[in-house]
């Protein structure tokens, strides 16, 4: 009798793609190269993209060069801003003689806490409207929709009177609490929760899951893209908010950057160097955050344009 065929060792077998020296990444690169070769307008698109990129980054480069000039420096032609002399003394003077680092800290803390509280409030509200049964649920959701149609400026006076009666003026709480109501966040998350299969929640309920467990064990993990989008827009909106901090803050130590920078720049209406230095210092945290979270920002922006 012949010997039986040996059982092949699956662990020793290599994928056909790797034996041929072409893995999934190589296929993607080859496919991208083929698409580029088939597109006759690819060089034009690249050229236009580079030109637009330079157009957007040029003001930042100009700001950095101006901030490195000596205080009181004046020019007769724009090209002189990019030529020596350069100095870093403006940065040390701004940091030591002004409250710009304090204003940056205030902006970051207010934006961070506002984002966290907004995610908590909007996720709870949207999950209740989407998955729980109670009276006037549709009316409450219409109330959120109406909230999108009312401009924020129209609510400033009653908001100020309410904050004043609660002793929230000129405080961190006064900056944060009025900003955590986000009708847009509730609408986005409700639409996302509505898209989750009902069978998933029903099977979890049959296993004894309460509404709280359904919320933080099933709904929240699935809603990470929507939560990221809301967090990005809430943080950016709070960081750039000017009107409410301008009205509700009286102490210079509690200024945020959108309020502190115009106050500082108003003292140098005829100068360029020191205001540009202050703006450059204020831009550094934003640039760093964008470089770190640029993929999440792009995904969040693209997510808000998708249905469901």
């Amino acid at each position: 009798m012949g010997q039986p065929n040996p059982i092949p060792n699956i662990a020793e077998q290599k994928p056909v793609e790797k034996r041929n020296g072409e893995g999934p990444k190589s296929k993607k690169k080859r496919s991208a190269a083929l698409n580029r070769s088939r597109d006759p307008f690819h060089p034009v698109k690249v050229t236009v993209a580079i030109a637009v990129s330079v157009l957007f980054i040029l003001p930042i480069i100009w700001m950095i060069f101006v901030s490195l000039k000596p205080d009181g420096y004046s020019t007769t032609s724009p090209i002189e801003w990019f030529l020596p002399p350069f100095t870093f003394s403006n940065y040390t003077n701004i940091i030591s003689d002004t409250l710009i680092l304090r204003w940056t800290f205030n902006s970051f803390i207010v934006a961070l806490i506002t984002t966290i509280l907004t995610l908590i409030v909007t996720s709870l509200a949207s999950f209740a409207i989407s998955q729980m049964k109670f009276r006037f649920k549709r009316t409450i959701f219409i109330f959120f929709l109406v909230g999108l149609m009312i401009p924020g400026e129209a609510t400033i006076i009653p908001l100020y009177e309410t904050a004043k009666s609660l002793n929230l003026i000129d405080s961190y709480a006064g900056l944060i609490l009025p900003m955590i109501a986000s009708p847009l966040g509730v609408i986005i998350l409700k639409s996302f929760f509505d898209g989750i299969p009902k069978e998933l929640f029903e099977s979890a309920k049959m296993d004894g899951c309460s509404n709280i467990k359904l919320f933080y064990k099933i709904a929240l993990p699935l809603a990470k893209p929507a939560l990221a989008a809301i967090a990005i827009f809430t943080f950016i909106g709070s960081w750039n908010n000017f009107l409410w901090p301008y009205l509700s803050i009286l102490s210079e130590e509690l200024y945020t950057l959108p309020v502190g920078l115009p106050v500082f720049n108003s003292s140098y209406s005829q100068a360029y160097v020191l205001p540009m230095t202050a703006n450059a210092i204020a831009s550094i945290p934003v640039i760093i955050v964008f470089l770190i979270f640029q993929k999440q920002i792009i995904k969040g922006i693209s997510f808000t344009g998708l249905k469901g």
Side-chain angles (χ1 to χ4, degrees), residues 145-268:
L145 290 175
V146 173
L148 289 177
M149 305 177 188
I150 301 175
E153 291 78 6
T155 62
I156 284 295
I157 294 177
L159 180 60
Y160 184 87
E161 292 295 333
T162 304
K164 184 179 179 181
S165 63
L166 295 175
N167 295 322
L168 296 177
I169 299 298
D170 202 28
S171 65
Y172 282 114
L175 286 173
I176 295 170
L177 293 179
M179 299 294 108
I180 64 176
S182 176
L184 179 62
V186 173
I187 293 171
I188 291 175
L189 280 175
K190 180 192 177 298
S191 300
F192 190 92
F193 290 146
D194 288 343
I196 298 176
K198 300 292 184 182
E199 294 79 7
L200 187 62
F201 291 111
E202 292 175 358
S203 61
K205 288 180 181 179
M206 293 178 63
D207 292 337
C209 275
S210 62
N211 287 327
I212 296 298
K213 288 185 177 181
L214 290 176
F215 172 68
Y216 73 84
K217 284 190 175 182
I218 297 177
L220 281 187
L222 294 175
K224 286 181 180 179
L227 292 173
I230 296 171
I232 289 165
F233 288 111
T234 303
F235 188 91
I236 294 174
S238 178
W239 183 275
N240 294 328
N241 191 16
F242 170 78
L243 183 58
W244 177 245
Y246 179 75
L247 296 175
S248 63
I249 297 301
L250 306 176
S251 304
E252 191 174 355
E253 292 78 11
L254 291 178
Y255 281 173
T256 56
L257 280 174
V259 179
L261 284 179
V263 172
F264 174 81
N265 293 338
S266 63
S267 302
Y268 299 91

Side-chain angles (χ1 to χ4, degrees), residues 42-169:
H42 180 72
V44 178
K45 293 178 181 178
V46 173
T47 304
V48 172
I50 294 174
V52 173
S53 302
V54 171
L55 184 64
F56 275 93
I57 203 173
L58 186 60
I60 300 175
I61 297 174
W62 181 73
M63 177 184 66
I64 294 174
F65 274 97
V66 173
S67 67
L68 294 175
K69 289 293 183 180
D71 185 18
Y73 186 83
S74 60
T75 64
T76 56
S77 63
I79 195 63
E80 293 183 14
W81 290 115
F82 301 95
L83 303 176
F86 299 116
T87 178
F88 286 95
S89 60
N90 298 325
Y91 286 87
T92 57
N93 293 336
I94 290 291
I95 291 174
S96 60
D97 298 339
T98 67
L99 296 173
I100 189 168
L101 292 184
R102 175 75 179 186
W103 299 339
T104 305
F105 174 79
N106 292 340
S107 293
F108 181 77
I109 290 298
V110 170
L112 180 63
I113 297 177
T114 300
T115 302
I116 294 173
L117 293 179
T118 299
L119 290 178
I120 294 174
V121 172
T122 55
S123 60
L124 288 170
S126 57
F127 180 79
I129 294 174
S130 174
Q131 301 298 329
M132 298 178 66
K133 296 181 180 179
F134 54 91
R135 295 180 64 186
F136 308 114
K137 182 171 72 170
R138 186 179 297 274
T139 304
I140 294 174
F141 182 66
I142 294 175
F143 178 77
F144 282 106
L145 290 175
V146 173
L148 289 177
M149 305 177 188
I150 301 175
E153 291 78 6
T155 62
I156 284 295
I157 294 177
L159 180 60
Y160 184 87
E161 292 295 333
T162 304
K164 184 179 179 181
S165 63
L166 295 175
N167 295 322
L168 296 177
I169 299 298

